Amino acid sequence: MDAIVLLREDHKTVERLFKQFEKTDDEDTTERRRIADEVIEELTVHAWIEEQYFYPAAREAAPDTKDHVLESVEEHHAVVWMLSELRTMDASDERFKAKMTVLMEQVRHHVEEEEQDWFPDLRKAMGRNRLVDLGMQLEEAKGQAPRDPLKVPSAASG
């Protein structure tokens, strides 16, 4: 699977979890906690593999995407910070749903920019073979990726 397809699959997984969260009732804190924990792990792994492997490869293949990469890293930093807060927050806290809602808005914005504005240009710049090689590298890296947002270097240093 090529790198862009793999990242889009991650985006779909997270969006499915967001929709599940949005369907929960305020009383269903156990289900909200379960979904949030899954979101935390998925997004932590995703942000890490993008920053460690995908973004450097993108900058190399398409140097004019530097500004997009830098903006994406900053968006990741904000998201990972929220993930670290959600990780320790009680699901019955009155701010829990609000924090998840803000997280969902930020992630959806980030995904839209990547998929609509950036991925098509990168596909042209990187080519199929490079994307397939990078996809294998990303898949392998998922096994080494941190699951705890506090272990992600950009969040730990922020």
Side-chain angles (χ1 to χ4, degrees), residues 44-106:
T44 299
V45 169
H46 182 81
W48 190 82
I49 65 170
E50 278 192 329
E51 288 185 30
Q52 297 299 311
Y53 298 94
F54 187 73
Y55 292 166
R59 279 184 76 168
E60 181 183 319
D64 59 326
T65 66
K66 174 184 157 197
D67 288 343
H68 182 87
V69 170
L70 294 174
E71 181 183 326
S72 292
V73 168
E74 291 306 317
E75 288 173 350
H76 281 185
H77 180 72
V79 164
V80 170
W81 185 258
M82 278 191 285
L83 295 175
S84 68
E85 291 180 341
L86 280 165
R87 187 177 142 276
T88 58
M89 185 179 272
D90 193 301
S92 62
D93 186 307
E94 67 179 356
R95 293 175 46 232
F96 189 83
K97 180 181 175 187
K99 192 171 292 291
M100 275 294 291
T101 300
V102 171
L103 173 75
M104 290 186 286
E105 289 169 358
Q106 287 193 353

Side-chain angles (χ1 to χ4, degrees), residues 19-65:
K19 287 184 186 311
Q20 287 176 19
F21 188 90
E22 289 170 331
K23 290 178 183 174
T24 62
D25 295 322
D26 288 342
E27 302 79 38
D28 202 355
T29 57
T30 303
E31 181 66 359
R32 282 187 176 172
R33 175 81 266 160
R34 183 196 67 75
I35 295 167
D37 288 343
E38 207 172 328
V39 166
I40 290 165
E41 183 171 329
E42 290 287 337
L43 287 176
T44 299
V45 169
H46 182 81
W48 190 82
I49 65 170
E50 278 192 329
E51 288 185 30
Q52 297 299 311
Y53 298 94
F54 187 73
Y55 292 166
R59 279 184 76 168
E60 181 183 319
D64 59 326
T65 66

Side-chain angles (χ1 to χ4, degrees), residues 73-157:
V73 168
E74 291 306 317
E75 288 173 350
H76 281 185
H77 180 72
V79 164
V80 170
W81 185 258
M82 278 191 285
L83 295 175
S84 68
E85 291 180 341
L86 280 165
R87 187 177 142 276
T88 58
M89 185 179 272
D90 193 301
S92 62
D93 186 307
E94 67 179 356
R95 293 175 46 232
F96 189 83
K97 180 181 175 187
K99 192 171 292 291
M100 275 294 291
T101 300
V102 171
L103 173 75
M104 290 186 286
E105 289 169 358
Q106 287 193 353
V107 169
R108 285 171 170 154
H109 166 80
H110 177 80
V111 166
E112 183 180 343
E113 280 187 343
E114 277 189 346
E115 291 191 359
Q116 311 263 321
D117 302 337
W118 199 40
F119 283 174
D121 293 337
L122 281 177
R123 183 167 293 289
K124 288 178 201 157
M126 296 180 91
R128 175 140 179 77
N129 290 340
R130 176 69 182 113
L131 285 170
V132 169
D133 290 346
L134 185 56
M136 289 189 293
Q137 193 176 14
L138 294 178
E139 191 66 52
E140 186 178 316
K142 281 185 172 193
Q144 307 161 22
R147 267 65 185 156
D148 180 344
L150 292 175
K151 304 266 192 274
V152 175
S154 64
S157 64

